[in-house]
Amino acid sequence: METALAKTPQKRQVIFLAILLLLWEAGSDAIRYSMPEETESGSFVANLAKDLGLSVGELATRGARIHYKGNKQVLQLDIETGNLLLYGKLDREVLCGATDPCILYFQLLLENPVQFFQADLQLTDINDHSPQFLEKEMLLKIPENVQPGTVFPLKIAQDLDIGINTVQNYTISPNSHFHVVTRNRGDGRKYPELMLDKALDREEQSELSLTLTALDGGTPPRSGTTAVHIEVVDINDNAPQFLQSLYEVPVPENSPLNSLVVVVSAQDLDAGTNGNIVYTLFQGNEVTQPFVIDEITGEIRLKKALDFEATRYYNVEIAGTDGGGLSGKCTVAIEVVDVNDNAPELTMSTLTSSTPENSPETVVAVFSVSDPDSGDNGRMVCSIQKDLPFLLKPTFKNFYTLVTERPLDRESQAEYNI
């Protein structure tokens, strides 16, 4: 992938052509700061000059400035005091989603002479979101002959916070038939199961209305609720059972719409309508869910485009429900496979379009390269043409400086295209 810098109408011009093929290496000796999300803009982060062993005067005389990965400004440097301040409120969930820890990388660039310092800011989570159920009501149809101790899966609540601030416990409104058990899922999230304590009698009570509450671990805890409506139905001896409790499927992010992801299958030993199984997406927002399931065949197909850079994994809960209301559940773990769909990007920090002849090593440009793809698709190599009196020097991970290799002679050559 080639990136060309267009000519500017000046007496002497330098045009860059960088060939970028993926690279992202972790920097060393980085200074790390920590700040809770949603801290007010202008808040003090640290005295960067003191931490780097620089005098305050050096920041101004050496042209100090902050450079970020990408173009979003999150910090500002007061070169008069050396203080590093928040440019604006930072929302951890917007910047990092479920990624933990949430780390924002930046560099301090001193232009004269050129020097880099690597640093990063870790945003810690605060409990600023309440658990939310995607549906206001759940409907359960439970046969009256189900034995005490039987459990029924309930849909989980979503919480954008992480760690202790996400959902930690579920409770159910007081009643004489059920209690809720909070269990741990493989990915660390908690999910509720409704357990029957006392046998049901349809003739005595045909319906129950309960309130399910999700609580996070904040102080004080935040909560969200949903209604659980239970219909007591006549006998249906066997619940559907899936052939696999977990289906694991890799799907390339460039898969076309309506392409087949996987086929799930369940069996029910009952006959007639009690043995007919209907498949549904048990957990997930239908509006944002990129998958759809055929309720008869169990085929899961892609209905929206995937983006590895936005979401790398999906855990899709599938329910198989027979005509008598009994259901079984399985999980489809979908891994979005990265394809090389992002071109490397070059961000200029400093560009000098002219330089005096006969000067010693001179910095012509400072720039960074980045690629949001992963693995080999995100690894980059930066180079310039050979047989030119310039050198390309790597600095911190994705930063490069372009310098003159030797004094230039205008009479020999007045301009270069690089």
Side-chain angles (χ1 to χ4, degrees), residues 159-411:
D159 193 325
L160 295 179
D161 292 318
I162 60 172
I164 194 65
N165 291 328
T166 193
V167 177
Q168 299 296 316
N169 191 34
Y170 291 89
T171 62
I172 200 80
S173 54
N175 67 95
S176 59
H177 289 280
F178 297 95
H179 76 276
V180 162
V181 179
T182 302
R183 301 193 186 279
N184 290 312
R185 216 161 70 169
D187 59 2
R189 289 195 292 174
K190 307 288 196 300
Y191 68 94
E193 288 186 339
L194 189 67
M195 180 174 289
L196 181 64
D197 298 322
K198 178 184 175 182
L200 300 170
D201 187 338
R202 187 177 183 278
E203 288 67 40
E204 179 181 311
Q205 188 175 8
S206 61
E207 295 182 353
L208 292 90
S209 293
L210 307 174
T211 300
L212 177 66
T213 301
L215 298 150
D216 65 24
T219 305
R222 288 175 174 260
S223 63
T225 63
T226 187
V228 180
H229 185 73
I230 299 170
E231 293 182 6
V232 183
V233 298
D234 286 331
I235 296 173
N236 180 20
D237 293 332
N238 297 282
Q241 289 189 336
F242 281 87
L243 302 183
Q244 295 176 227
S245 61
L246 175 65
Y247 293 79
E248 295 179 299
V249 187
V251 181
E253 66 173 332
N254 62 345
S255 297
L257 298 183
N258 202 41
S259 59
L260 181 65
V261 176
V262 70
V263 179
V264 298
S265 180
Q267 295 179 339
D268 193 318
L269 298 179
D270 291 322
T273 57
N274 288 336
N276 293 334
I277 300 174
V278 174
Y279 300 96
T280 57
L281 296 177
F282 183 75
Q283 178 68 40
N285 188 337
E286 295 250 341
V287 176
T288 59
Q289 178 66 257
F291 308 100
V292 63
I293 189 168
D294 187 299
E295 64 178 20
I296 303 301
T297 65
E299 292 181 348
I300 298 177
R301 294 185 177 274
L302 188 63
K303 73 172 184 178
K304 290 185 179 180
L306 301 175
D307 186 356
F308 174 87
E309 285 70 34
T311 305
R312 301 186 179 189
Y313 301 95
Y314 292 91
N315 282 313
V316 183
E317 307 289 342
I318 306 298
T321 306
D322 64 23
L326 289 181
S327 61
K329 188 182 75 169
C330 75
T331 300
V332 179
I334 299 171
E335 178 184 3
V336 181
V337 180
D338 185 40
V339 297
N340 193 17
D341 59 345
N342 291 283
E345 296 178 353
L346 183 147
T347 303
M348 294 298 303
S349 294
T350 301
L351 171 62
T352 302
S353 59
S354 63
T355 185
E357 65 177 348
N358 297 321
S359 297
E361 180 177 288
T362 303
V363 174
V364 178
V366 178
F367 61 93
S368 64
V369 294
S370 62
D371 192 313
D373 289 319
S374 68
D376 288 339
N377 292 334
R379 198 165 290 119
M380 297 172 290
V381 173
C382 185
S383 62
I384 62 174
Q385 307 103 299
K386 296 180 180 180
D387 303 324
L388 290 178
F390 298 91
L391 293 175
L392 193 60
K393 293 185 177 182
T395 55
F396 288 103
K397 52 183 180 183
N398 63 326
F399 277 85
Y400 293 85
T401 57
L402 182 69
V403 300
T404 56
E405 183 180 20
R406 61 179 181 270
L408 304 179
D409 185 357
R410 183 184 180 281
E411 285 67 31

Side-chain angles (χ1 to χ4, degrees), residues 53-74:
L54 302 172
S55 66
V56 174
E58 280 187 273
L59 298 180
T61 58
R62 296 182 66 183
R65 54 193 165 104
I66 300 295
H67 183 83
Y68 313 90
K69 176 186 176 183
N71 295 316
K72 180 176 176 61
Q73 183 175 358
V74 296

